[in-house]
Amino acid sequence: MSYNQKTIMNNTPRPINQIAKEIKNDWKKVYFGAVPYLDAMHTLRSINDNFFYDSGKSVVLYFLANAQTWKGETARRIKKELNQLCK
């Protein structure tokens, strides 16, 4: 069973840095506007963490705003997961 399947079964959110790793592996040419937010996401475990003066939630929301060119099944699934974290 994969980490993601275990997380879904336990109903606990996946750490943001794990999500960032999956994004990096899938999105080969990351849009330049999303790069700083993706880099910041690598340092976050939770939406409640901070990246310097920015909240984890704002980092994720800015990433999502700059990730419109990222397409595909993985992109849809992860964007949905990130949006759920921000609610």
Side-chain angles (χ1 to χ4, degrees), residues 44-85:
L44 302 173
R45 291 210 30 91
S46 157
I47 202 80
N48 300 315
D49 292 345
N50 289 324
F51 182 75
F52 295 98
Y53 294 109
D54 293 322
S55 69
K57 182 177 180 178
S58 68
V59 169
V60 169
L61 289 172
Y62 282 125
F63 169 79
L64 288 168
N66 284 282
Q68 294 176 9
T69 60
W70 183 34
K71 306 287 184 188
E73 182 57 39
T74 302
R76 283 188 292 279
R77 178 178 49 80
I78 291 177
K79 287 177 184 181
K80 182 178 178 181
E81 182 179 3
L82 291 172
N83 275 304
Q84 288 294 322
L85 288 175

